[in-house]
């Protein structure tokens, strides 16, 4: 796909001809052109083509790289409403399950695929896709929407503008607007600012204060490195994992693709690794190589690939727990407001759910005949997100420390538990029937709100 220009303007239109449906349009800044930010922009455009939306992204282009992610729970329903699920399915990888190995590479246990509406003991979900692919699906959808708009004779005055290679450095608020200072040295004013800029959100820090990280970031005591290496014959379609002594866990995921993803997790040497993220990438690579050297199985190949990789990324795993997702006219979306950590597998779902709820509440409160009330919309967004956030952030009842044994005996016990669960889990799942859900992503625990105001296809 052709890379976007640094500033790309989309003029917004909707098939609905009756503009009396709309109240006052909003001038909105979205910080971060990730999954949540672009999904929010698409939803807002559909609800009111007169909104003026700017997405600012600190990278020079769309970040089409990244690891494999899964889409599940209510996020599947939202993508159906957006008529994007088929495009997502066409890009899904062919991962067929998870294989647990010993340190010598001997298969110990195998787990299959978890359907989108169920929770099973496996790493692999029904919809597994590379992060860059879903970003491109969302971005393409906004461009195609623009093409339809350009064919229409109507002029609504709204737009979606992508600004790359820029970020925000300051925020000031009053009751009516948010003043924003950008790294490029310009100041602008917006009705609403949405921080969709990830776990290390600059928006969160600027809006809630520099000490907000210490109040809201809950470390899990696990450090992770992600990168890819060239695939080899035999990598296959099964994800693979094995545990090593000294609290180390290794995953590989190939899905018959040209590259194999490598994920390294450790609870060893956390004090040393905690400080390494301020160092250059080469220093970070060396620190992780030192921790994982001698871990067994295919470690020489994985560490050789680590040294040569050009997509290495590392961080400490946290959960973001905010008392409130907004302050004034600045709100947080996705990992910026409620990062669940990779161990829940719900980061993508949480971002899509949040985009849907935020867009729905803004449409409900600003498209009404009462007034242009952003405050009510943000209050309702925060209230309605409490249950799905709790659902997305729910960790396994098994303490993480037990998943990272430090001794050979601990590793042996973990492997035997995996073998046992691989034998009994299919019987439990097959016998549970309706207890697994109705295919709508555990809708019995939280029902996806219905927003006719978003003017999605199921309401036209």
């Amino acid at each position: 796909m052709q890379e976007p220009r640094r500033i790309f303007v989309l003029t917004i239109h909707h098939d609905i001809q009756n503009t009396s449906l709309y109240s006052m349009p909003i001038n909105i800044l979205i910080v971060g052109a990730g999954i949540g930010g672009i999904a929010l922009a698409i939803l807002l455009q559909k609800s009111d083509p007169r909104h003026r939306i700017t997405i600012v992204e600190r990278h020079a282009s769309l970040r089409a790289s990244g690891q494999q992610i899964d889409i599940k729970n209510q996020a599947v329903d939202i993508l159906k409403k957006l008529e994007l699920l088929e495009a997502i399915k066409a890009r899904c990888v062919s991962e067929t399950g998870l294989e647990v190995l010993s340190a010598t590479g001997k298969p110990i246990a195998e787990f299959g695929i978890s359907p989108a509406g169920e929770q099973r003991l496996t790493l692999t979900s029904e919809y597994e896709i590379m992060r860059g692919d879903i970003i491109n699906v969302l971005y393409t959808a906004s461009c195609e929407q623009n093409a339809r708009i350009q064919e229409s004779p109507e002029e609504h005055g709204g737009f979606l503008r992508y600004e790359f290679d820029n970020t925000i450095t300051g925020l000031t608020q009053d009751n009516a607007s948010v003043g924003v200072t950008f790294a490029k040295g310009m100041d602008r004013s917006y009705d609403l600012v949405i921080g969709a800029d990830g776990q290390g959100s600059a928006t969160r820090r600027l809006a809630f204060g520099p000490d907000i990280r210490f109040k809201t970031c809950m470390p899990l005591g696990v450090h992770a490195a992600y990168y890819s290496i060239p695939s080899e014959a035999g990598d296959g379609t099964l994800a693979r994992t094995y545990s090593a002594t000294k609290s180390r866990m290794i995953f590989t995921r190939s899905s018959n693709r040209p590259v194999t993803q490598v994920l390294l997790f450790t609870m060893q040497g956390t004090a040393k690794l905690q400080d390494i993220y301020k160092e250059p990438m080469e220093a970070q690579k060396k620190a992780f190589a030192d921790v994982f050297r001698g871990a067994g199985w295919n470690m020489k190949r994985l560490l050789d690939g680590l040294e040569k990789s050009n997509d290495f990324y590392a961080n400490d795993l946290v959960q973001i727990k905010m008392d409130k997702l907004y302050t004034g006219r600045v709100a947080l979306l996705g990992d910026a407001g409620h990062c669940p950590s990779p161990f829940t597998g719900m980061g993508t779902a949480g971002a899509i759910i949040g985009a849907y709820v935020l867009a729905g509440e803004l449409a409900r409160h600003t498209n009404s005949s009462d007034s242009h009330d952003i405050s009510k919309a943000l209050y309702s967004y925060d209230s309605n997100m409490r249950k799905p956030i709790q659902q997305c952030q729910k960790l396994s009842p098994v303490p993480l420390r037990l998943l990272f044994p430090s001794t050979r005996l601990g590793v042996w016990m973990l492997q035997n538990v995996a073998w046992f669960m691989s034998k009994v889990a299919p019987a439990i799942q097959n016998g549970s029937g309706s207890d697994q859900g109705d295919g709508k992503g555990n809708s019995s625990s939280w029902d996806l709100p219905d927003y006719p105001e978003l003017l999605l296809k199921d309401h036209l």
Side-chain angles (χ1 to χ4, degrees), residues 231-400:
S231 292
E232 293 183 355
D235 282 350
T237 59
L238 284 170
R240 291 172 171 171
T241 183
Y242 71 101
S243 296
T245 56
K246 300 181 181 179
S247 305
R248 296 169 290 181
M249 184 186 296
I250 299 94
F251 287 89
T252 62
R253 310 180 82 168
S254 177
S255 306
N256 272 347
R257 298 175 65 253
V259 297
T260 292
Q261 306 158 72
V262 182
L263 300 86
L264 308 178
F265 298 100
T266 182
M267 296 186 82
Q268 177 197 15
T270 54
K272 177 183 177 182
L273 291 175
Q274 188 66 50
D275 297 329
I276 201 66
Y277 305 115
K278 301 175 184 177
E279 301 296 325
M281 184 180 296
E282 292 307 313
Q284 296 181 40
K285 286 184 177 182
K286 183 180 184 305
F288 274 90
D290 289 345
V291 168
F292 281 87
R293 191 168 288 111
W297 185 47
N298 214 5
M299 210 64 227
K300 183 180 186 307
R301 174 195 171 198
L302 302 187
L303 292 184
D304 286 345
L306 167 63
E307 183 178 352
K308 300 172 185 175
S309 66
N310 57 14
D311 60 351
F312 174 87
Y313 173 74
N315 66 352
D316 59 328
L317 302 191
V318 304
Q319 289 194 323
I320 305 295
K321 294 183 178 288
M322 299 287 296
D323 292 334
K324 221 168 65 163
L325 293 176
Y326 71 99
T327 177
R329 286 173 172 250
V330 179
L332 302 177
L333 173 64
D335 281 357
H338 45 85
C339 176
S341 94
F343 284 126
T344 71
M346 291 295 292
T348 302
I352 294 172
I353 290 168
Y356 174 81
V357 173
L358 179 53
E361 294 300 333
L362 286 168
R364 178 160 293 174
H365 290 281
T366 61
N367 287 357
S368 69
S369 59
D370 295 337
S371 64
H372 181 215
D373 201 333
I374 289 175
S375 297
K376 287 182 180 178
L378 297 184
Y379 175 83
S380 295
Y381 162 63
D382 181 77
S383 299
N384 286 325
M385 281 300 294
R386 286 299 137 189
K387 194 160 189 178
I389 288 174
Q390 183 181 30
Q391 180 177 301
C392 289
Q393 292 191 330
K394 186 176 181 180
L395 293 166
S396 167
V398 179
L400 279 176

Side-chain angles (χ1 to χ4, degrees), residues 83-95:
E83 301 180 79
L84 294 178
L85 188 59
E86 292 305 312
I88 295 291
K89 289 167 67 174
R91 298 285 196 101
C92 282
V93 301
S94 57
E95 188 170 282

Side-chain angles (χ1 to χ4, degrees), residues 31-32 63 195-204 320 332-339:
V31 184
R63 288 195 303 130
D197 45 348
Q199 174 182 319
S201 171
T203 312
R204 185 178 64 233
I320 305 295
L332 302 177
L333 173 64
D335 281 357
H338 45 85
C339 176

Side-chain angles (χ1 to χ4, degrees), residues 61-333:
S61 62
L62 287 176
R63 288 195 303 130
S65 61
Q67 292 287 320
Q68 184 173 319
I69 58 177
D70 49 10
I71 305 166
K72 50 192 173 184
N73 289 32
Q74 294 87 352
V76 176
D77 290 329
I78 295 167
L79 291 170
K80 285 180 183 176
K81 290 175 179 288
L82 285 170
E83 301 180 79
L84 294 178
L85 188 59
E86 292 305 312
I88 295 291
K89 289 167 67 174
R91 298 285 196 101
C92 282
V93 301
S94 57
E95 188 170 282
T96 55
L98 172 67
E99 185 176 44
V100 180
L101 304 178
S102 71
T104 61
K106 177 183 176 182
I108 295 171
E110 184 175 325
F111 300 89
I113 296 174
S114 176
E118 301 182 11
Q119 297 293 330
R120 294 189 178 181
L121 292 171
T122 185
L123 178 70
T124 306
S125 295
E126 181 178 354
Y127 301 112
E128 295 278 349
I129 187 170
M130 300 306 296
R131 182 190 177 278
D133 285 340
I134 188 173
I135 290 288
N136 282 327
V137 167
L138 291 168
Y139 179 78
T140 299
S142 68
C143 292
E144 289 177 348
Q145 179 172 267
N146 176 61
R148 292 192 299 272
I149 291 164
Q150 298 303 321
E151 294 171 359
S152 169
E154 293 188 357
E155 289 291 341
H156 291 293
F159 61 81
L160 167 59
R161 176 168 47 223
Y162 290 88
E163 295 189 5
F164 295 90
D165 196 24
N166 201 1
T167 190
I168 64 173
T169 58
L171 293 173
T172 57
Q173 294 198 62
D174 56 34
N175 292 332
S177 64
V178 185
V180 181
T181 301
F182 291 86
K184 295 293 186 180
M186 63 192 93
D187 293 337
R188 298 183 200 153
S189 179
Y190 297 89
D191 299 321
L192 176 64
V193 173
I194 307 298
D197 45 348
Q199 174 182 319
S201 171
T203 312
R204 185 178 64 233
R205 173 175 51 82
L206 292 171
F208 290 85
D211 61 343
I212 191 66
R213 175 176 175 82
F214 304 105
K215 296 177 181 178
T216 62
C217 294
M218 309 301 171
L220 299 182
V222 179
H223 293 262
Y226 316 86
Y227 60 98
S228 58
I229 61 176
S231 292
E232 293 183 355
D235 282 350
T237 59
L238 284 170
R240 291 172 171 171
T241 183
Y242 71 101
S243 296
T245 56
K246 300 181 181 179
S247 305
R248 296 169 290 181
M249 184 186 296
I250 299 94
F251 287 89
T252 62
R253 310 180 82 168
S254 177
S255 306
N256 272 347
R257 298 175 65 253
V259 297
T260 292
Q261 306 158 72
V262 182
L263 300 86
L264 308 178
F265 298 100
T266 182
M267 296 186 82
Q268 177 197 15
T270 54
K272 177 183 177 182
L273 291 175
Q274 188 66 50
D275 297 329
I276 201 66
Y277 305 115
K278 301 175 184 177
E279 301 296 325
M281 184 180 296
E282 292 307 313
Q284 296 181 40
K285 286 184 177 182
K286 183 180 184 305
F288 274 90
D290 289 345
V291 168
F292 281 87
R293 191 168 288 111
W297 185 47
N298 214 5
M299 210 64 227
K300 183 180 186 307
R301 174 195 171 198
L302 302 187
L303 292 184
D304 286 345
L306 167 63
E307 183 178 352
K308 300 172 185 175
S309 66
N310 57 14
D311 60 351
F312 174 87
Y313 173 74
N315 66 352
D316 59 328
L317 302 191
V318 304
Q319 289 194 323
I320 305 295
K321 294 183 178 288
M322 299 287 296
D323 292 334
K324 221 168 65 163
L325 293 176
Y326 71 99
T327 177
R329 286 173 172 250
V330 179
L332 302 177
L333 173 64

